[in-house]
Amino acid sequence: LQAMNVTLKLNFAQSSINIKDFSKAISLCTEVLDEDPGSFKALLRRGTAYSAFGLVGEAKKDLLRCRTDFKDQDQTLVNKQIKLLHERAQASKEKEKQSFAGMFSADSSKGVSLYDDMKTNVMIPHDKHKKSKYCFMDIAIGSAEPERVEFELFMDSTPKTAEN
């Protein structure tokens, strides 16, 4: 009965992979591996699901275990999945590289820049607000010393908000 249960779960896991329900496939394969830690199919399918789900480290661990612990098994699918995992990891790195290229550069020709949406004109205080009131907030991030941020209260344009 236990062997039948394992077979059904592995078939269900493969079906889940086919319909792109990778979290279900991972869950089912993990259940099988809890019952039968030496299941080549469970490791291969879980590694496949991890890879498709974008969990590169976990996929690599399972697929390399298939390669090293089960040398007597046909390694064709394992090698195919490891190659696919490598391609996905490279594509992910390239996409990340393009996303963050030039992020801290004022030159937007190098990619997306954080400075693209920054206004070039800076507000210069003028006499109209000389008598404005100010409030402050001391803000600490983590264990760093708190730093004071001052806010000018505009009594002329938002009197109720400034009063509160």
Side-chain angles (χ1 to χ4, degrees):
L1 191 62
Q2 184 180 2
M4 180 69 83
N5 190 25
V6 166
T7 302
L8 289 172
K9 284 182 181 179
L10 287 173
N11 287 342
F12 190 18
Q14 184 60 50
S15 297
S16 297
I17 290 170
N18 291 345
I19 63 168
K20 299 184 183 343
D21 187 358
F22 304 116
S23 59
K24 184 67 174 174
I26 292 167
S27 174
L28 289 164
C29 291
T30 301
E31 287 177 27
V32 170
L33 288 167
D34 288 343
E35 295 173 28
D36 180 14
S39 175
F40 173 76
K41 282 186 177 181
L43 271 175
L44 177 60
R45 290 180 182 166
R46 189 172 73 173
T48 301
Y50 276 145
S51 174
F53 206 58
L55 300 171
V56 176
E58 290 87 345
K60 186 176 181 180
K61 182 179 170 185
D62 280 354
L63 294 172
L64 290 178
R65 186 169 160 216
C66 282
R67 185 183 271 177
T68 57
D69 293 359
F70 301 96
K71 292 181 181 181
D72 58 324
Q73 297 285 335
D74 183 18
Q75 297 291 313
T76 307
L77 284 175
V78 175
N79 293 333
K80 181 180 175 184
Q81 287 301 321
I82 288 174
K83 182 180 178 187
L84 185 60
L85 177 67
H86 180 70
E87 290 170 1
R88 285 177 176 156
Q90 288 297 103
S92 177
K93 282 183 185 178
E94 188 60 35
K95 185 176 179 181
E96 185 176 304
K97 186 178 177 182
Q98 288 175 351
S99 295
F100 296 110
M103 178 183 251
F104 297 106
S105 171
D107 180 12
S108 62
S109 67
K110 294 180 181 176
V112 178
S113 174
L114 287 177
Y115 302 101
D116 286 345
D117 60 348
M118 238 175 110
K119 294 180 181 175
T120 55
N121 57 346
V122 178
M123 188 175 122
I124 300 171
H126 48 79
D127 293 340
K128 182 178 179 183
H129 300 292
K130 272 188 175 178
K131 295 182 182 179
S132 293
K133 294 183 180 182
Y134 291 85
C135 66
F136 65 88
M137 214 186 281
D138 291 328
I139 300 174
I141 299 174
S143 60
E145 286 293 315
E147 292 188 30
R148 182 162 288 183
V149 178
E150 290 187 4
F151 301 93
E152 182 178 0
L153 304 175
F154 295 96
M155 297 294 287
D156 56 339
S157 58
T158 56
K160 288 184 180 181
T161 304
E163 189 62 37
N164 287 333

